[in-house]
Amino acid sequence: MNNNLYMSLAATTIYMFSNFMHDNYIRENSPAGRLARIMQADIDSFPGNYLNNLPEERKKIEKYLIDNNASKEQIKVFNECFTEYEKEIERLYSGDKIL
């Protein structure tokens, strides 16, 4: 997805990574579920993200996790989940339908 599409989508709606994690993993007993609960517990400090530049947003969140002593496993799970999130954004906003 190109940056122009991200920018136009950002103006209409924001489906933040934290929302994605909550919607998909908060109740799971899995590494992704634990990450979702950590994010929820730190909701006031956890970086928000915008659709205009997902690669930069990934770096910003990963830096935040590293700065807050996330384990290598947590970083790996974050990157797997963020890749899923990017695919979900692509699915939600592809074609003419804007949610």
Side-chain angles (χ1 to χ4, degrees), residues 1-2 4-6 8-10 12-13 15 51 54 85-99:
M1 191 182 309
N2 66 42
N4 289 338
L5 182 54
Y6 284 134
S8 65
L9 297 175
T12 59
T13 189
Y15 185 50
L51 299 178
L54 287 180
Y85 168 69
E86 290 173 314
K87 290 176 184 176
E88 181 70 359
I89 293 298
E90 179 84 34
R91 184 189 70 76
L92 286 173
Y93 300 113
S94 65
D96 296 329
K97 186 175 181 180
I98 301 292
L99 301 176

Side-chain angles (χ1 to χ4, degrees), residues 21 31-40 65 74 77-78 81:
M21 290 299 289
R34 284 189 289 285
L35 178 60
R37 289 186 292 281
I38 288 167
M39 290 171 62
Q40 183 177 32
L65 292 170
Q74 288 169 322
V77 168
F78 158 71
C81 291

Side-chain angles (χ1 to χ4, degrees), residues 29-96:
N29 184 19
S30 67
R34 284 189 289 285
L35 178 60
R37 289 186 292 281
I38 288 167
M39 290 171 62
Q40 183 177 32
D42 195 22
I43 198 71
D44 292 334
S45 300
F46 197 85
N49 66 284
Y50 304 96
L51 299 178
N52 61 342
N53 192 343
L54 287 180
E56 278 303 311
E57 298 302 319
R58 179 191 290 256
K59 289 178 192 175
K60 179 173 67 175
I61 295 170
E62 185 172 11
K63 180 183 181 327
Y64 174 83
L65 292 170
I66 291 168
D67 289 349
N68 284 277
N69 302 313
S71 68
K72 288 182 182 181
E73 174 70 16
Q74 288 169 322
I75 300 298
K76 179 181 177 229
V77 168
F78 158 71
N79 279 298
E80 290 168 356
C81 291
F82 202 89
T83 297
E84 272 185 63
Y85 168 69
E86 290 173 314
K87 290 176 184 176
E88 181 70 359
I89 293 298
E90 179 84 34
R91 184 189 70 76
L92 286 173
Y93 300 113
S94 65
D96 296 329

